[in-house]
Amino acid sequence: MAIIGNSSLWQDTFPDYLIPDILDLILSAWQVFSKPKIDDHEVPITKRFRVTLIQQRDLVRLPVRIDREIPEDDLESGIEKGRIDLLFTSVETCREDVYFSFECKRLNVISKDGKRESLAGDYAKKGMMRYVTSKYASGLICGGMIGYIMNGDSKTAIKAVDSQVKKLCKELRVSPPSGLCQSSLIPNHPQIKETTHILPRQFVIHHVFLPL
């Protein structure tokens, strides 16, 4: 049967050439973003950050749409599996199930009484695990995590996440002793890491750590 139009509109994976540009966009937008208060939560931070991302996207003319809190439904049962914090779709793609997403979590949170909570465990178990269990990005080969480092201490936050990934390598389906690895897309950048997960397919999570 003949395919009418551009067959690339129906490709099964998000265009990989856009991913380094998206990672760069996250970093550059954070540089000009009006930083949140140390006790702000993920949703209001991401809500405001999306506005800055759209402004920066338009400056560099990146051909993506940026949405937030997008429901991810099971395509068989119709039951909502969750809501994706940040979702990038290519303007070249017509499919709702082909996207690049970010799950956003806070790290190194400072409580009102001055105590610090790492929350690296939540980052791994309640963030990364959404990809491992195919709650998000089912059938895709990559996704993203954003860590808002609330006390600005990137070194401590990244080290804590790395420790959790190694500790939970079996559950996260990461080949031990691997933790956070250098980004293959933007090598040697201190704020960007990646992990590779052995699911029914190989799945890569790109981690972006953003300090206040």
Side-chain angles (χ1 to χ4, degrees):
M1 182 177 69
I3 297 177
I4 300 174
N6 186 353
S7 61
S8 67
L9 297 177
W10 298 98
Q11 60 189 1
D12 293 325
T13 58
F14 186 83
D16 56 3
Y17 65 87
L18 287 175
I19 297 175
D21 292 331
I22 290 173
L23 298 177
D24 277 333
L25 177 68
I26 296 288
L27 294 172
S28 63
W30 189 254
Q31 292 298 314
V32 298
F33 178 58
S34 177
K35 300 303 186 291
K37 299 176 182 177
I38 61 171
D39 57 350
D40 281 351
H41 286 255
E42 292 95 337
V43 172
I45 295 173
T46 304
K47 182 178 181 180
R48 290 199 304 111
F49 189 37
R50 173 178 172 262
V51 175
T52 304
L53 284 167
I54 290 172
Q55 293 168 347
Q56 294 299 303
R57 174 207 64 188
D58 293 344
L59 286 175
V60 299
R61 299 182 181 274
L62 189 62
V64 294
R65 177 184 173 92
I66 307 172
D67 295 292
R68 68 173 190 87
E69 291 290 308
I70 298 300
E72 176 78 336
D73 297 332
D74 185 289
L75 295 181
E76 293 184 2
S77 67
I79 296 174
E80 183 177 305
K81 297 189 291 184
R83 289 179 176 266
I84 300 172
D85 291 338
L86 275 176
L87 185 142
F88 291 74
T89 49
S90 167
V91 297
E92 300 175 358
T93 304
C94 296
R95 292 176 54 174
E96 296 87 352
D97 58 341
V98 176
Y99 54 76
F100 187 78
S101 58
F102 284 97
E103 175 72 7
C104 303
K105 293 294 181 186
R106 295 180 302 159
L107 296 166
N108 287 6
V109 172
I110 306 297
S111 63
K112 291 183 178 179
D113 59 6
K115 293 181 179 179
R116 180 177 68 84
E117 292 184 83
S118 165
L119 298 187
D122 284 353
Y123 181 99
K125 289 181 278 189
K126 296 182 180 180
M128 296 172 65
M129 198 64 74
R130 291 175 184 265
Y131 292 115
V132 175
T133 60
S134 293
K135 190 171 186 178
Y136 298 158
S138 176
L140 301 177
I141 60 173
C142 61
M145 290 288 302
I146 290 177
Y148 299 125
I149 304 174
M150 304 306 289
N151 72 342
D153 187 352
S154 296
K155 185 176 181 180
T156 300
I158 293 172
K159 183 178 180 180
V161 171
D162 179 62
S163 178
Q164 285 294 317
V165 172
K166 291 175 178 175
K167 178 181 177 181
L168 299 169
C169 63
K170 185 176 181 180
E171 294 91 331
L172 292 171
R173 301 182 188 178
V174 175
S175 297
S178 295
L180 295 174
C181 298
Q182 175 180 280
S183 171
S184 60
L185 301 181
I186 307 179
N188 301 315
H189 197 293
Q191 290 173 244
I192 302 180
K193 306 292 182 182
E194 69 180 46
T195 49
T196 301
H197 305 258
I198 309 303
L199 311 180
R201 64 203 183 281
Q202 183 170 288
F203 190 89
V204 175
I205 298 179
H206 300 277
H207 303 258
V208 186
F209 295 96
L210 302 176
L212 268 65

